[in-house]
Amino acid sequence: MAEPANEPVRADALRNREHILQVAHDAFAESGTTSLNAIAKRAGVGPGTLYRHFPTREDLILAVYRHDVRRLVDSVPDVLAAARTPLDAFRTWFRTLADYVRLKHGLGEALHTAAVQDAVNETYAPVTAAVARLLRACEEDGSVRPGLDAADTLLLMGFLWRVGPGEEGREQARRLMELAIAGLRPVPGAAGPVPGPVPGPGR
């Protein structure tokens, strides 16, 4: 009978955790060296509350990364609904992904651990599934050719988190994105995916 009484406490704790994660995301986006105490102050919670949720800096960084990826993956239906076309949704979603990856890279050595690699590996499948959903929507309206592989597309779009910072980098990313999208568009006269190389004699 005590379980219902615990529900508000759990809901409050969950809201606190989500709030801390969002504040930490914003703080890390500004500076990868932001301290946990500074994040606690910015979130309006005591250091003890933050450390209770995230005992170490790495725990917080990993939680922010997982939180960001989960939110991005879950956003696909909303992004598709809000965009003028599925291809616009594709552009918007990948720009957001690039922002998250750049943030992750900006945290430097804090992310070069086995635990982080495990987190990256565990989020790969959901991200690839989200890309596949975007590709299906684009394929259905004819803006990309059928049969594109989500993992290949994700790898192709990796240039987005390698461009430089600032407006110059953003402009380069826009140009490169349109070049990449041009390679995804339907091929005139082709009924399906672009065929691979034709084997030579004896192969």
Side-chain angles (χ1 to χ4, degrees), residues 10 12 15 27 32 37 39 53 66-67 80 85 87 112 125 130 139 146 159 162 199 203:
R10 290 177 179 173
D12 286 346
R15 281 193 294 270
N37 286 341
I39 290 172
H53 287 287
R66 289 188 173 102
H67 177 262
L80 283 168
T85 67
L87 201 53
H112 296 169
E139 180 182 326
F159 68 84
R162 295 188 178 92
R203 294 180 64 186

Short mmCIF file of all heavy atoms in Angstrom, two decimals, residues 10 12 15 27 32 37 39 53 66-67 80 85 87 112 125 130 139 146 159 162 199 203:
data_model
loop_
_atom_site.label_atom_id
_atom_site.label_comp_id
_atom_site.label_asym_id
_atom_site.label_seq_id
_atom_site.Cartn_x
_atom_site.Cartn_y
_atom_site.Cartn_z
N ARG A 10 9.07 9.83 -6.79
CA ARG A 10 9.76 9.34 -7.98
C ARG A 10 9.59 10.32 -9.13
O ARG A 10 10.51 10.56 -9.90
CB ARG A 10 9.21 7.97 -8.37
CG ARG A 10 9.59 6.87 -7.37
CD ARG A 10 8.97 5.55 -7.75
NE ARG A 10 9.35 4.50 -6.81
CZ ARG A 10 8.85 3.28 -6.84
NH1 ARG A 10 7.96 2.95 -7.76
NH2 ARG A 10 9.24 2.38 -5.96
N ASP A 12 9.13 13.55 -8.94
CA ASP A 12 9.97 14.72 -8.66
C ASP A 12 11.44 14.41 -8.97
O ASP A 12 12.15 15.24 -9.54
CB ASP A 12 9.82 15.15 -7.21
CG ASP A 12 8.49 15.84 -6.94
OD1 ASP A 12 7.82 16.21 -7.94
OD2 ASP A 12 8.12 15.99 -5.77
N ARG A 15 11.95 14.40 -12.68
CA ARG A 15 11.98 15.76 -13.23
C ARG A 15 13.30 16.45 -12.90
O ARG A 15 13.87 17.15 -13.74
CB ARG A 15 10.78 16.56 -12.69
CG ARG A 15 9.46 16.26 -13.39
CD ARG A 15 8.43 17.30 -13.03
NE ARG A 15 8.06 17.24 -11.62
CZ ARG A 15 7.08 16.49 -11.13
NH1 ARG A 15 6.37 15.72 -11.96
NH2 ARG A 15 6.80 16.49 -9.85
N ALA A 27 25.42 23.53 -20.59
CA ALA A 27 26.70 23.96 -20.01
C ALA A 27 27.87 23.36 -20.76
O ALA A 27 28.86 24.04 -21.06
CB ALA A 27 26.75 23.57 -18.53
N GLY A 32 33.41 22.47 -22.42
CA GLY A 32 33.57 21.09 -22.00
C GLY A 32 34.24 20.93 -20.65
O GLY A 32 34.30 19.83 -20.11
N ASN A 37 30.03 21.32 -9.86
CA ASN A 37 29.48 22.31 -8.92
C ASN A 37 28.83 23.47 -9.67
O ASN A 37 27.78 23.99 -9.27
CB ASN A 37 30.56 22.83 -7.98
CG ASN A 37 30.95 21.81 -6.91
OD1 ASN A 37 30.20 20.87 -6.65
ND2 ASN A 37 32.10 21.99 -6.30
N ILE A 39 27.50 23.29 -12.63
CA ILE A 39 26.26 22.78 -13.22
C ILE A 39 25.17 22.71 -12.17
O ILE A 39 24.01 23.06 -12.42
CB ILE A 39 26.51 21.40 -13.87
CG1 ILE A 39 27.39 21.58 -15.11
CG2 ILE A 39 25.20 20.72 -14.22
CD1 ILE A 39 27.87 20.28 -15.72
N HIS A 53 22.50 11.83 -8.09
CA HIS A 53 22.09 11.33 -9.41
C HIS A 53 23.29 10.88 -10.23
O HIS A 53 23.23 9.87 -10.95
CB HIS A 53 21.35 12.42 -10.18
CG HIS A 53 19.97 12.70 -9.69
ND1 HIS A 53 18.91 11.84 -9.89
CD2 HIS A 53 19.46 13.76 -9.00
CE1 HIS A 53 17.81 12.35 -9.36
NE2 HIS A 53 18.12 13.52 -8.81
N ARG A 66 23.48 9.89 -23.58
CA ARG A 66 22.35 8.97 -23.79
C ARG A 66 21.03 9.73 -23.88
O ARG A 66 20.16 9.40 -24.70
CB ARG A 66 22.30 7.95 -22.65
CG ARG A 66 23.41 6.91 -22.68
CD ARG A 66 23.17 5.84 -21.63
NE ARG A 66 24.10 4.75 -21.72
CZ ARG A 66 25.15 4.58 -20.92
NH1 ARG A 66 25.40 5.46 -19.97
NH2 ARG A 66 25.96 3.55 -21.07
N HIS A 67 20.87 10.74 -23.03
CA HIS A 67 19.65 11.54 -23.02
C HIS A 67 19.48 12.25 -24.36
O HIS A 67 18.38 12.27 -24.95
CB HIS A 67 19.74 12.56 -21.88
CG HIS A 67 18.58 13.50 -21.80
ND1 HIS A 67 18.62 14.77 -22.32
CD2 HIS A 67 17.35 13.36 -21.25
CE1 HIS A 67 17.47 15.38 -22.09
NE2 HIS A 67 16.68 14.54 -21.46
N LEU A 80 9.34 14.94 -38.77
CA LEU A 80 8.67 14.68 -40.05
C LEU A 80 7.35 15.44 -40.15
O LEU A 80 7.01 15.97 -41.21
CB LEU A 80 8.42 13.18 -40.21
CG LEU A 80 9.63 12.33 -40.60
CD1 LEU A 80 9.32 10.85 -40.44
CD2 LEU A 80 10.07 12.62 -42.03
N THR A 85 8.69 19.04 -46.10
CA THR A 85 8.86 17.80 -46.85
C THR A 85 9.71 16.83 -46.03
O THR A 85 10.45 17.26 -45.14
CB THR A 85 9.58 18.05 -48.20
OG1 THR A 85 10.94 18.46 -47.93
CG2 THR A 85 8.87 19.13 -49.02
N LEU A 87 12.39 15.46 -46.95
CA LEU A 87 13.80 15.80 -47.15
C LEU A 87 14.21 16.97 -46.25
O LEU A 87 15.34 17.01 -45.76
CB LEU A 87 14.05 16.14 -48.61
CG LEU A 87 15.50 16.05 -49.11
CD1 LEU A 87 16.10 14.69 -48.78
CD2 LEU A 87 15.57 16.33 -50.59
N HIS A 112 37.11 9.60 -23.73
CA HIS A 112 37.97 8.56 -24.27
C HIS A 112 38.13 7.43 -23.26
O HIS A 112 39.20 7.16 -22.74
CB HIS A 112 39.34 9.13 -24.67
CG HIS A 112 39.24 10.13 -25.78
ND1 HIS A 112 40.29 10.94 -26.14
CD2 HIS A 112 38.22 10.45 -26.60
CE1 HIS A 112 39.91 11.71 -27.15
NE2 HIS A 112 38.66 11.43 -27.44
N ALA A 125 22.48 1.41 -32.87
CA ALA A 125 21.31 0.77 -33.49
C ALA A 125 20.09 1.69 -33.49
O ALA A 125 19.42 1.82 -34.52
CB ALA A 125 21.00 -0.56 -32.80
N ALA A 130 16.53 5.27 -36.70
CA ALA A 130 15.93 6.58 -36.96
C ALA A 130 16.26 7.06 -38.37
O ALA A 130 15.40 7.61 -39.07
CB ALA A 130 16.43 7.59 -35.93
N GLU A 139 11.89 8.25 -49.37
CA GLU A 139 11.69 7.35 -50.50
C GLU A 139 10.23 7.35 -50.96
O GLU A 139 9.94 7.34 -52.17
CB GLU A 139 12.11 5.93 -50.10
CG GLU A 139 11.95 4.89 -51.20
CD GLU A 139 12.35 3.50 -50.73
OE1 GLU A 139 13.28 3.38 -49.91
OE2 GLU A 139 11.72 2.52 -51.20
N PRO A 146 15.14 4.35 -53.93
CA PRO A 146 14.87 3.22 -53.03
C PRO A 146 16.11 2.39 -52.75
O PRO A 146 17.06 2.40 -53.54
CB PRO A 146 13.82 2.41 -53.80
CG PRO A 146 14.06 2.75 -55.23
CD PRO A 146 14.51 4.18 -55.24
N PHE A 159 30.41 13.89 -42.41
CA PHE A 159 31.14 15.14 -42.65
C PHE A 159 30.57 16.28 -41.81
O PHE A 159 31.27 17.25 -41.51
CB PHE A 159 31.05 15.53 -44.14
CG PHE A 159 29.67 15.93 -44.57
CD1 PHE A 159 29.22 17.22 -44.38
CD2 PHE A 159 28.82 15.00 -45.15
CE1 PHE A 159 27.93 17.60 -44.76
CE2 PHE A 159 27.54 15.36 -45.54
CZ PHE A 159 27.10 16.66 -45.34
N ARG A 162 32.52 17.22 -38.86
CA ARG A 162 33.94 17.44 -39.09
C ARG A 162 34.25 18.83 -39.62
O ARG A 162 35.41 19.19 -39.77
CB ARG A 162 34.49 16.38 -40.06
CG ARG A 162 34.44 14.96 -39.49
CD ARG A 162 35.16 13.97 -40.40
NE ARG A 162 35.15 12.64 -39.83
CZ ARG A 162 34.22 11.72 -40.08
NH1 ARG A 162 33.22 12.00 -40.90
NH2 ARG A 162 34.28 10.52 -39.52
N PRO A 199 31.64 -7.38 -61.71
CA PRO A 199 32.86 -8.18 -61.57
C PRO A 199 33.56 -8.37 -62.90
O PRO A 199 32.91 -8.51 -63.95
CB PRO A 199 32.35 -9.52 -61.02
CG PRO A 199 31.00 -9.20 -60.41
CD PRO A 199 30.46 -8.09 -61.26
N ARG A 203 36.07 -13.38 -61.96
CA ARG A 203 35.77 -13.03 -60.58
C ARG A 203 34.37 -13.49 -60.23
O ARG A 203 33.52 -13.63 -61.08
CB ARG A 203 35.86 -11.51 -60.39
CG ARG A 203 37.28 -11.01 -60.56
CD ARG A 203 37.35 -9.52 -60.37
NE ARG A 203 36.99 -9.16 -59.02
CZ ARG A 203 36.85 -7.89 -58.59
NH1 ARG A 203 37.05 -6.89 -59.42
NH2 ARG A 203 36.51 -7.62 -57.36
#
